[in-house]
Amino acid sequence: MSEQLDGFDLKILAELQRDGRLTNIELSERISLSASQCSRRRTRLEAEGFIRGYQAHLDPDRLGLNLLVVISVTLATHNRDNARRFQQLVNGLPEVLEAYALTGEMDYHLKVATRGLAGLSRFVNDVLLPHESVQHVKTSIVLNTLKHFEGYPLSGS
């Protein structure tokens, strides 16, 4: 934890993780600090990069993105250029929600949302497998989400 953060900063971050739409007045009531102090601290936390942005949490089912898949990818060759090509591919694919470079058997894990099995088939067969950087793809369909991301653990909050 950064030495730049005190208890009030951690409380602000925790509250904003729960609800990024809080006004400074609402925030001040929740953490027992004046609205002006909350405003200054929030602005500082944003400027220093502790808060990267705000966004709405959308319902993927309502949007027709009803299939969540974890895809493991092995690269064709292990060199910097191939890894760069794969990263460029992944960064250009809106279906990829998150992507992780890994140690171990597989090189990458992708968290992907598609419109059903047809969308998954298109994504794997028409996008991933034909790409020059990809050697092997293994898909795992998510049956049930046990826990959604709700924020990072913050001590002192």
Side-chain angles (χ1 to χ4, degrees):
M1 187 68 59
S2 172
E3 293 179 24
Q4 304 167 11
L5 299 178
D6 64 14
F8 284 115
D9 292 331
L10 293 172
K11 288 178 183 179
I12 289 170
L13 292 173
E15 290 297 332
L16 290 175
Q17 277 193 129
R18 284 187 204 77
D19 184 355
R21 296 181 301 171
L22 289 174
T23 66
N24 289 320
I25 292 171
E26 293 167 328
L27 191 56
S28 72
E29 291 169 356
R30 291 189 184 192
I31 69 166
S32 301
L33 191 66
S34 73
S36 62
Q37 277 291 326
C38 284
S39 176
R40 281 192 289 276
R41 286 172 179 262
R42 176 189 257 175
T43 300
R44 179 180 57 80
L45 292 166
E46 290 169 349
E48 292 178 359
F50 289 100
I51 298 171
R52 294 189 307 196
Y54 302 89
Q55 68 185 66
H57 295 280
L58 307 180
D59 185 325
D61 291 328
R62 297 285 310 221
L63 297 169
L65 297 167
N66 55 359
L67 192 63
L68 186 61
V69 184
V70 177
I71 301 178
S72 302
V73 177
T74 303
L75 294 183
T77 59
H78 292 87
N79 61 52
R80 186 173 300 160
D81 288 338
N82 204 42
R84 182 187 47 73
R85 281 192 296 275
F86 183 73
Q87 182 176 359
Q88 287 174 337
L89 169 69
V90 167
N91 284 329
L93 299 172
E95 300 92 339
V96 178
L97 306 178
E98 297 177 34
Y100 304 98
L102 306 172
T103 62
E105 183 180 338
M106 302 306 256
D107 297 317
Y108 297 91
H109 275 186
L110 310 178
K111 180 179 170 185
V112 175
T114 66
R115 297 181 190 280
L117 289 173
L120 174 61
S121 177
R122 183 201 60 76
F123 184 78
V124 170
N125 294 315
D126 298 344
V127 177
L128 285 182
L129 285 175
H131 195 268
E132 63 187 347
S133 65
V134 175
Q135 176 185 4
H136 179 74
V137 171
K138 179 180 173 184
T139 61
S140 299
I141 294 174
V142 174
L143 297 176
N144 190 16
T145 301
L146 303 178
K147 182 178 180 181
H148 289 280
F149 177 75
E150 293 184 10
Y152 292 101
L154 300 171
S155 60
S157 59

